[in-house]
Amino acid sequence: MVFDSLDSFLPDWVRSIQARLVNLICAGGFGFLAYLMSTRADRFAEYGDTTVYLQVSIAPVAWMMALFLAITAAVHLLFVFVVVPVPSPHHPPPADLEGLVP
């Protein structure tokens, strides 16, 4: 779901700050979830938790989840500093004015 009804009224610099802020909040949230999942994985490993029927250890799955959450947080943090152009129907790319401007 995309809420972009106000995008056509906002200047580009405001939308840039908005995108950076959203990515920073997402990076913090995913980083926190990665931390929680890694502590949970450590607890699973310490207790020796396994699945009920197959007796497979749960800790490696939780560590993998923590790793993917950390990667997601790193990508969002990268997007705070690196501008990724996103096409928008409200803001089409600038027209090529070569040959039209004297």
Side-chain angles (χ1 to χ4, degrees):
M1 180 166 70
V2 176
F3 180 75
D4 61 356
S5 63
L6 297 177
D7 282 354
S8 59
F9 300 108
L10 297 176
D12 288 341
W13 65 272
V14 172
R15 288 188 299 118
S16 174
I17 292 172
Q18 176 189 21
R20 291 172 194 267
L21 184 63
V22 167
N23 280 313
L24 185 63
I25 291 169
C26 287
F30 280 115
F32 180 67
L33 290 174
Y35 167 75
L36 288 179
M37 189 55 67
S38 66
T39 58
R40 182 61 56 105
D42 290 339
R43 192 177 319 150
F44 287 154
E46 181 182 335
Y47 295 156
D49 286 348
T50 60
T51 60
V52 176
Y53 296 108
L54 298 177
Q55 299 301 312
V56 176
S57 177
I58 297 175
V61 175
W63 277 319
M64 186 73 77
M65 291 169 66
L67 173 69
F68 287 135
L69 284 166
I71 290 171
T72 303
V75 168
H76 277 285
L77 193 60
L78 177 71
F79 287 162
V80 170
F81 301 106
V82 176
V83 178
V84 178
V86 178
S88 170
H90 300 291
H91 297 281
D96 185 18
L97 299 177
E98 287 183 31
L100 298 177
V101 179

